[in-house]
């Protein structure tokens, strides 16, 4: 048996590895590409595509917990979602898949440390490693960071406390930024970052993206046990500033072999099989109130997102008796729409929305860190950026006649007496924060629902009350003992518990909140 594959076989294997969400096997199996063949430029597209798939899974989880999606009448089998009584077998892929894919990023980092021509790939991998670790910390708390993704003590890595991981992630971002800045200064060198399925080798945008992630970490850390670290780190942002465009992943999505994973999860498979969310799910009645005038009047975005708005049926979580029947494609997608949440099988997957960037800058300004504009200006820009993303086509372009800035202005005017849309009416710090987080909740709807869920746990916004479907998204079958009758975390998977004695011992999902959850 030959130790190395012929060129055609290597090309075929690398194409599959690049376009699939599976991990590359970089060991010495004579039937697989070896570590010397599978280089960072070949690993990165597949690794990034894996992260896009993970985001689809996190969005699905967050859409249940944050009140964005609800199974309709006659749909059963959602016991964990209805009761919130999560176990070690609930949403296990959110842990296992991310850790599996982190191996690819750490492999890139290791190669970059030994081969200088891949230095820029190493910096990008560090940034994406941080991005993935934040997903884990924000939903599980303590994680194996120091040992977990490096291969050190791989069988039973130690768990680092969540409040210790955040500062380490910020420092990792800072180091990556310095590497990228050096790459810009030495543009004539042989070091490149291509292929790059996010920023097409634009190093400045990678730095700005890193600043965005750092900003998100520091905003969440403000007022917590690591507040002193956050206050100091707010003064250390790179001069390149923040990315104020929608950052999209697209390693070559297409309708015949490797489509956008959000489309695969929420619309239909390549062969046209309709997915469960498309067939059985509805928006919650609570959420719909932010569009149909119950809480806010937002007919433009309502029509962009939902089929037959404002007559789209809605439902309450776990109400299997009074919920309406589910029409297919409550969120659109059937006709490969050019606007809305799901833009097409070959559209890019958002990894960071411009709207979130603006709302983070608004909250930072609210707490005394005016990094790029005041709270009000960033609040209004965040609303406009939300309209912009939804109005864009699958090629990330605004069709002729689109006017997101004008639509945002009309929206604010239509809700001119409500401080949730008119920032001038938010008189107290609490009202201003509520307005920012509520608009972020709306902007993240069914795109990054998990992030909206984190922000709700951190701030308790948007407000919920009582048990009526219009005033709360909490399940009517909740078993949570937490004050708001919601879960506060996910539990570690059973495999992690059984194989790693260092795994924290938890009894339920209603206690041991993430360190930034102060409620």
């Amino acid at each position: 048996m030959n130790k190395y594959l012929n060129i055609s076989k290597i090309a075929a294997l690398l194409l599959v590895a690049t376009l699939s969400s599976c991990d590359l096997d970089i060991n010495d199996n004579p039937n697989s590409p070896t570590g010397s063949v599978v280089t960072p430029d070949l690993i990165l597209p597949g690794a990034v595509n894996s992260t896009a798939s993970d985001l689809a899974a996190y969005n699905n989880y967050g859409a249940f917990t944050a009140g964005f999606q609800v199974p309709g009448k006659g749909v059963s089998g959602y016991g964990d979602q209805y009761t919130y009584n999560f176990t070690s077998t609930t949403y296990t892929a959110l842990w296992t898949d991310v850790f599996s894919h982190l191996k690819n990023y750490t492999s890139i980092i290791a190669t970059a440390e030994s081969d200088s021509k891949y230095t820029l790939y190493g910096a990008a991998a560090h940034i994406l490693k941080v991005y993935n670790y934040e997903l884990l910390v924000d939903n599980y708390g303590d994680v194996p960071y120091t040992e977990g993704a490096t291969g050190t003590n791989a069988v039973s890595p130690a768990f680092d406390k969540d409040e210790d991981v955040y500062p380490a992630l910020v420092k990792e971002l800072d180091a990556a930024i310095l590497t990228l800045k050096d790459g810009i200064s030495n543009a004539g060198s042989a070091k490149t970052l291509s292929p790059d399925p996010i920023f097409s080798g634009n190093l400045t945008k990678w730095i700005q993206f890193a600043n965005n992630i750092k900003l998100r970490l520091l905003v969440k850390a403000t007022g917590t046990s690591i507040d002193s670290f956050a206050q100091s780190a707010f003064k250390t942002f790179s001069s390149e500033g923040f990315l104020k465009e929608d950052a999209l992943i697209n390693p070559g999505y297409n309708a015949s072999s490797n489509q956008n994973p959000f489309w695969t999860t929420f619309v239909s498979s390549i062969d046209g099989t309709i997915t469960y969310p498309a067939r059985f799910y509805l928006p919650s009645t609570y959420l719909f109130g932010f569009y149909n005038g119950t809480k806010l009047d937002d007919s433009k975005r309502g029509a962009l997102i939902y089929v037959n708005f404002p007559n789209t049926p809605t439902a309450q979580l776990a109400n299997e008796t009074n919920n309406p029947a589910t029409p297919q494609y409550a969120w659109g997608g059937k006709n490969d729409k050019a606007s809305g949440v799901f833009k097409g099988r070959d559209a890019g997957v958002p990894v960071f929305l411009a709207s979130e960037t603006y709302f983070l800058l608004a909250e930072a300004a609210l707490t005394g860190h005016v990094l790029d504009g005041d709270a009000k200006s960033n609040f209004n820009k965040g609303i406009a950026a939300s309209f912009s993303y939804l109005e864009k086509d699958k090629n990330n372009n605004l069709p002729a006649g689109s006017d997101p800035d004008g639509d945002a202005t009309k929206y604010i005017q239509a809700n001119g007496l409500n401080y949730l849309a008119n920032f001038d009416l938010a008189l107290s710090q609490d009202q201003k924060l509520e307005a920012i987080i509520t608009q972020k909740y709306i902007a993240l709807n069914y795109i990054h629902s998990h992030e909206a869920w984190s922000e709700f746990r951190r701030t308790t916004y948007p407000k919920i009350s009582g048990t009526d479907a219009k005033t709360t998204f909490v399940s009517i079958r909740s078993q949570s003992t937490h004050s708001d009758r919601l879960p506060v975390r996910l539990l570690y998977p059973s495999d992690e518990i059984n194989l790693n004695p260092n795994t924290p011992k938890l009894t339920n999902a209603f206690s041991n909140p993430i360190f930034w959850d102060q409620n």
Side-chain angles (χ1 to χ4, degrees):
M1 184 179 295
N2 293 330
K3 180 175 178 60
Y4 297 103
L5 298 171
N6 64 46
I7 297 300
S8 62
K9 287 183 179 179
I10 290 175
L13 281 168
L14 292 178
L15 177 62
V16 170
T18 297
L19 293 180
S20 72
S21 61
C22 298
D23 295 307
L24 287 170
D25 183 2
I26 55 175
N27 58 27
D28 291 325
N29 183 341
N31 292 312
S32 299
T34 66
S36 61
V37 174
V38 186
T39 50
D41 54 315
L42 300 174
I43 299 174
L44 185 67
V48 169
N49 188 40
S50 296
T51 292
S53 296
D54 293 339
L55 287 174
Y58 269 87
N59 183 55
N60 187 51
Y61 145 70
F64 275 115
T65 48
F68 292 140
Q69 71 180 9
V70 177
K73 184 176 183 179
V75 181
S76 59
Y78 291 86
D80 289 357
Q81 288 82 3
Y82 289 168
T83 64
Y84 306 128
N85 192 22
F86 300 156
T87 70
S88 59
T89 61
T90 305
Y91 294 118
T92 56
L94 300 183
W95 175 276
T96 57
D97 286 357
V98 170
F99 263 112
S100 176
H101 302 149
L102 276 167
K103 291 187 296 184
N104 282 329
Y105 294 123
T106 54
S107 172
I108 293 172
I109 292 168
T111 301
E113 289 174 348
S114 62
D115 190 338
S116 62
K117 69 174 173 287
Y118 295 117
T119 297
L120 299 179
Y121 282 95
H126 273 294
I127 294 169
L128 291 166
K129 175 188 167 190
V130 170
Y131 184 93
N132 280 268
Y133 258 110
E134 186 190 3
L135 288 174
L136 293 168
V137 173
D138 286 355
N139 292 285
Y140 291 94
D142 299 352
V143 296
Y145 170 75
T146 305
E147 298 179 351
T150 62
T152 305
N153 195 16
V155 176
S156 54
F159 277 66
D160 299 277
K161 289 188 176 299
D162 50 6
E163 59 192 319
D164 295 333
V165 176
Y166 257 48
L169 295 179
V170 170
K171 293 174 183 177
E172 189 166 355
L173 288 172
D174 287 342
I177 288 172
L178 289 176
T179 300
L180 292 168
K181 288 170 77 74
D182 182 66
I184 293 174
S185 299
N186 297 283
S189 71
K191 299 174 184 177
T192 61
L193 183 53
S194 179
D196 170 7
I198 306 180
F199 300 118
S200 301
N202 188 317
L203 302 188
T204 299
K205 288 186 178 180
W206 272 103
I207 292 173
Q208 293 171 334
F209 177 48
N211 278 336
N212 283 17
I213 301 170
K214 178 177 176 178
L215 176 62
R216 182 198 278 170
L217 292 166
L218 296 182
V219 166
K220 288 179 179 175
T222 299
T224 70
S225 57
I226 59 170
D227 181 70
S228 60
F229 170 82
Q231 299 305 317
S232 177
F234 264 115
K235 303 173 185 177
T236 64
F237 280 100
S238 169
S239 61
E240 282 76 8
F242 303 93
L243 187 70
K244 297 177 181 178
E245 63 184 62
D246 300 309
L248 305 178
I249 293 171
N250 198 333
Y253 295 130
N254 59 78
S256 61
S257 60
N258 184 56
Q259 66 180 12
N260 174 321
F262 269 62
W263 194 275
T264 300
T265 301
F266 298 103
V267 184
S268 65
S269 64
I270 289 176
D271 65 11
T273 302
I274 302 172
T275 65
Y276 261 66
R279 188 185 298 273
F280 297 123
Y281 296 170
L282 296 171
S284 74
T285 303
Y286 172 85
L287 168 70
F288 215 63
F290 288 109
Y291 299 93
N292 68 1
T294 303
K295 302 181 184 72
L296 290 167
D297 184 356
D298 194 356
S299 58
K300 177 71 175 186
R301 282 188 290 186
L304 284 167
I305 299 172
Y306 300 109
V307 174
N308 296 325
F309 179 87
N311 299 315
T312 316
T314 66
Q316 186 177 23
L317 190 59
N319 189 337
E320 296 178 343
T321 303
N322 298 323
N323 280 351
T326 55
Q328 291 179 2
Y329 303 109
W331 284 267
K334 181 178 181 180
N335 299 316
D336 206 359
K337 293 174 61 176
S339 60
V341 174
F342 307 119
K343 301 177 184 298
R345 298 177 187 276
D346 55 351
V349 170
V351 67
F352 212 107
L353 292 172
S355 57
E356 184 185 355
T357 303
Y358 285 119
F359 290 129
L360 286 168
L361 287 169
E363 184 176 350
L366 193 65
T367 58
H369 302 287
V370 182
L371 303 171
D372 189 349
D374 60 20
K376 177 185 173 180
S377 64
N378 281 302
F379 175 82
N380 290 336
K381 289 176 182 178
I383 293 174
S386 175
F387 277 94
S388 178
Y389 178 76
L390 293 173
E391 292 181 30
K392 288 177 181 176
D393 62 23
K394 64 182 180 180
N395 296 314
N396 202 36
N397 297 317
L398 284 169
S402 297
D403 183 16
D405 289 339
D407 292 333
T409 298
K410 292 176 183 177
Y411 167 74
I412 293 171
Q413 291 173 345
N415 297 279
L417 299 179
N418 192 326
Y419 68 85
L420 295 179
N422 183 352
F423 201 72
D424 287 333
L425 296 184
L427 302 180
S428 67
Q429 287 290 95
D430 286 343
Q431 285 186 336
K432 291 175 182 178
L433 179 61
E434 181 187 358
I436 292 168
I437 302 301
T438 298
Q439 287 298 332
K440 186 190 292 189
Y441 179 87
I442 295 168
L444 295 174
N445 174 17
Y446 229 50
I447 303 170
H448 288 162
S449 304
H450 57 284
E451 192 60 36
W453 171 232
S454 292
E455 294 297 69
F456 175 83
R457 285 177 289 154
R458 181 175 69 91
T459 67
T460 71
Y461 297 131
K463 286 182 179 178
I464 59 174
S465 62
T467 58
D468 187 272
K470 293 180 180 180
T471 61
T472 186
F473 56 78
V474 177
S475 170
I476 63 172
R477 286 174 49 189
S478 171
Q479 293 183 10
S480 173
T481 56
H482 194 253
S483 58
D484 58 13
R485 300 176 55 244
L486 287 163
V488 299
R489 59 169 303 116
L490 289 172
L491 299 185
Y492 300 105
S494 54
D495 284 350
E496 191 73 24
I497 296 170
N498 294 333
L499 297 175
N500 186 355
N502 295 316
T503 306
K505 305 300 187 290
L506 304 171
T507 57
N508 59 59
F510 313 137
S511 56
N512 299 104
I514 313 306
F515 79 98
W516 42 246
D517 186 344
Q518 305 294 300
N519 302 296

